[in-house]
Coordinates of all heavy atoms in Angstrom, one line a residue:
F11 N 10.8 -3.4 -16.9 CA 10.0 -4.6 -17.0 C 9.0 -4.4 -18.2 O 8.5 -3.3 -18.5 CB 9.1 -4.7 -15.7 CG 8.3 -6.0 -15.7 CD1 8.8 -7.2 -15.4 CD2 7.0 -5.9 -16.2 CE1 8.1 -8.4 -15.4 CE2 6.2 -7.1 -16.3 CZ 6.7 -8.3 -15.9
Q12 N 8.8 -5.5 -18.9 CA 7.8 -5.6 -19.9 C 7.1 -6.9 -19.8 O 7.7 -7.9 -19.4 CB 8.4 -5.4 -21.3 CG 9.5 -6.4 -21.7 CD 10.3 -5.9 -22.9 OE1 10.8 -4.8 -22.9 NE2 10.4 -6.8 -23.8
Y13 N 5.8 -7.0 -20.1 CA 5.0 -8.2 -20.0 C 5.3 -9.2 -21.1 O 5.4 -10.4 -20.8 CB 3.5 -7.9 -19.9 CG 3.1 -7.5 -18.5 CD1 3.1 -6.1 -18.2 CD2 2.9 -8.4 -17.5 CE1 2.7 -5.7 -16.9 CE2 2.6 -8.0 -16.2 CZ 2.5 -6.6 -15.9 OH 2.2 -6.2 -14.6
A14 N 5.5 -8.7 -22.3 CA 5.8 -9.7 -23.4 C 7.3 -9.7 -23.6 O 8.0 -8.7 -23.4 CB 5.1 -9.2 -24.6
R20 N 6.1 -3.1 -25.3 CA 6.2 -1.9 -24.5 C 6.8 -2.1 -23.2 O 6.5 -3.1 -22.5 CB 4.7 -1.3 -24.4 CG 4.7 0.1 -24.0 CD 3.3 0.6 -24.1 NE 2.4 0.1 -23.0 CZ 2.3 0.6 -21.8 NH1 3.1 1.6 -21.5 NH2 1.5 0.1 -20.9
Q21 N 7.7 -1.2 -22.8 CA 8.3 -1.2 -21.5 C 7.2 -0.7 -20.5 O 6.8 0.5 -20.7 CB 9.5 -0.3 -21.4 CG 10.7 -0.7 -22.1 CD 11.6 -1.5 -21.3 OE1 11.5 -1.6 -20.1 NE2 12.6 -2.2 -21.8
V22 N 6.9 -1.4 -19.5 CA 5.9 -1.0 -18.5 C 6.7 -0.2 -17.4 O 6.1 0.7 -16.8 CB 5.1 -2.2 -18.0 CG1 4.3 -1.8 -16.8 CG2 4.2 -2.7 -19.1
L23 N 7.9 -0.6 -17.0 CA 8.7 0.1 -16.1 C 10.0 0.4 -16.7 O 10.6 -0.5 -17.4 CB 8.9 -0.7 -14.8 CG 7.7 -1.1 -14.0 CD1 8.1 -1.9 -12.8 CD2 7.0 0.2 -13.5
L39 N 1.6 6.5 -5.9 CA 0.5 7.1 -6.6 C 0.7 7.2 -8.1 O 1.9 7.2 -8.5 CB 0.4 8.6 -6.1 CG 0.1 8.9 -4.6 CD1 0.1 10.4 -4.4 CD2 -1.2 8.3 -4.2
G40 N -0.3 7.2 -8.8 CA -0.2 7.3 -10.3 C -1.5 7.0 -10.9 O -2.3 6.3 -10.3
H41 N -1.8 7.6 -12.1 CA -3.1 7.3 -12.7 C -3.1 5.8 -13.3 O -2.1 5.1 -13.2 CB -3.4 8.3 -13.8 CG -2.5 8.3 -15.0 ND1 -2.6 7.3 -16.0 CD2 -1.4 9.0 -15.3 CE1 -1.7 7.5 -16.8 NE2 -0.9 8.5 -16.4
N42 N -4.2 5.4 -13.7 CA -4.4 4.0 -14.2 C -3.4 3.6 -15.3 O -3.2 4.4 -16.2 CB -5.8 3.7 -14.7 CG -6.8 3.5 -13.6 OD1 -6.3 3.2 -12.5 ND2 -8.0 3.7 -13.8
G43 N -2.8 2.5 -15.2 CA -1.9 2.0 -16.2 C -0.5 2.6 -16.1 O 0.4 2.4 -17.0
S44 N -0.2 3.3 -15.0 CA 1.2 3.9 -14.9 C 2.2 2.9 -14.5 O 3.4 3.2 -14.6 CB 1.1 5.1 -13.9 OG 0.6 4.7 -12.7
G45 N 1.8 1.8 -13.9 CA 2.8 0.7 -13.6 C 2.8 0.4 -12.1 O 3.7 -0.4 -11.6
K46 N 1.9 0.9 -11.3 CA 1.9 0.7 -9.8 C 1.8 -0.8 -9.4 O 2.5 -1.3 -8.6 CB 0.8 1.5 -9.1 CG 0.9 3.0 -9.5 CD -0.2 3.7 -8.8 CE -1.6 3.3 -9.1 NZ -2.0 3.5 -10.6
S47 N 0.8 -1.5 -10.0 CA 0.5 -2.9 -9.7 C 1.7 -3.7 -10.1 O 2.0 -4.7 -9.4 CB -0.7 -3.4 -10.4 OG -1.8 -2.8 -9.9
T48 N 2.3 -3.4 -11.2 CA 3.5 -4.1 -11.7 C 4.6 -4.0 -10.6 O 5.3 -5.0 -10.2 CB 4.0 -3.6 -13.0 OG1 2.9 -3.6 -13.9 CG2 5.1 -4.4 -13.6
I49 N 4.8 -2.8 -10.1 CA 5.8 -2.6 -9.0 C 5.4 -3.5 -7.8 O 6.3 -4.2 -7.2 CB 5.9 -1.1 -8.6 CG1 6.4 -0.3 -9.7 CG2 6.8 -1.0 -7.3 CD1 6.4 1.2 -9.5
A50 N 4.1 -3.5 -7.4 CA 3.7 -4.3 -6.3 C 4.1 -5.7 -6.5 O 4.6 -6.4 -5.5 CB 2.2 -4.1 -6.1
K51 N 3.8 -6.3 -7.6 CA 4.1 -7.7 -7.9 C 5.6 -8.0 -7.9 O 6.0 -9.1 -7.7 CB 3.4 -8.1 -9.2 CG 1.9 -8.2 -9.0 CD 1.2 -8.5 -10.3 CE -0.3 -8.3 -10.2 NZ -0.9 -7.8 -11.4
L57 N 6.4 -11.2 -10.0 CA 7.0 -10.9 -11.2 C 8.5 -10.7 -11.0 O 8.9 -10.3 -9.9 CB 6.4 -9.6 -11.8 CG 5.0 -9.6 -12.3 CD1 4.6 -8.2 -12.7 CD2 4.7 -10.6 -13.4
D166 N -2.5 -3.3 -2.8 CA -2.8 -2.7 -4.1 C -4.3 -2.2 -4.1 O -5.2 -2.9 -4.2 CB -2.6 -3.8 -5.2 CG -2.6 -3.2 -6.6 OD1 -3.0 -2.0 -6.7 OD2 -2.3 -3.9 -7.5
E167 N -4.4 -0.9 -3.9 CA -5.7 -0.2 -3.8 C -6.7 -0.9 -2.9 O -7.8 -1.3 -3.3 CB -6.3 -0.1 -5.2 CG -5.4 0.8 -6.1 CD -6.2 1.3 -7.3 OE1 -7.4 1.6 -7.2 OE2 -5.6 1.3 -8.4
I198 N -0.7 1.2 -2.5 CA -1.1 1.9 -3.7 C -2.4 2.4 -3.5 O -3.3 1.7 -3.0 CB -1.1 0.9 -4.9 CG1 0.3 0.3 -5.1 CG2 -1.7 1.5 -6.1 CD1 0.3 -0.8 -6.2
H200 N -5.5 5.6 -4.8 CA -6.0 6.7 -5.6 C -6.4 7.9 -4.7 O -6.8 8.9 -5.2 CB -7.2 6.3 -6.5 CG -6.8 5.7 -7.8 ND1 -6.0 6.3 -8.7 CD2 -6.9 4.4 -8.2 CE1 -5.8 5.5 -9.7 NE2 -6.3 4.4 -9.5
V214 N 4.2 7.8 -9.8 CA 4.6 7.0 -11.0 C 3.8 7.5 -12.2 O 2.6 7.7 -12.1 CB 4.3 5.5 -10.8 CG1 5.0 4.7 -11.9 CG2 4.6 5.0 -9.4
G217 N 5.7 4.3 -16.1 CA 6.7 3.4 -15.7 C 8.0 4.1 -15.1 O 9.0 3.4 -15.0
Ligands
ADP301 P1 -1.4 0.5 -12.6 O1 -1.4 -0.4 -11.4 O2 -0.7 1.8 -12.3 O3 -2.8 0.8 -13.1 P2 -0.3 -1.7 -14.0 O4 1.0 -2.0 -13.4 O5 -1.4 -2.6 -13.7 O6 -0.6 -0.2 -13.8 O7 -0.1 -1.7 -15.6 C1 0.9 -1.0 -16.3 C2 0.8 -1.3 -17.8 O8 1.1 -2.7 -18.0 C3 -0.6 -1.1 -18.4 O9 -0.4 -0.5 -19.7 C4 -1.2 -2.4 -18.5 O10 -2.1 -2.5 -19.5 C5 0.0 -3.3 -18.7 N1 -0.3 -4.7 -18.1 C6 -0.6 -4.9 -16.8 N2 -0.7 -6.2 -16.6 C7 -0.5 -6.8 -17.8 C8 -0.4 -8.2 -18.2 N3 -0.6 -9.2 -17.3 N4 -0.1 -8.5 -19.5 C9 0.2 -7.4 -20.4 N5 0.2 -6.1 -20.0 C10 -0.2 -5.8 -18.7

Side-chain angles (χ1 to χ4, degrees):
F11 184 84
Q12 57 194 53
Y13 280 94
R20 200 170 71 82
Q21 289 268 350
V22 170
L23 296 177
L39 300 177
H41 66 82
N42 281 339
S44 54
K46 305 179 302 295
S47 295
T48 306
I49 296 174
K51 290 176 188 144
L57 296 174
D166 192 350
E167 297 195 42
I198 296 174
H200 275 296
V214 193

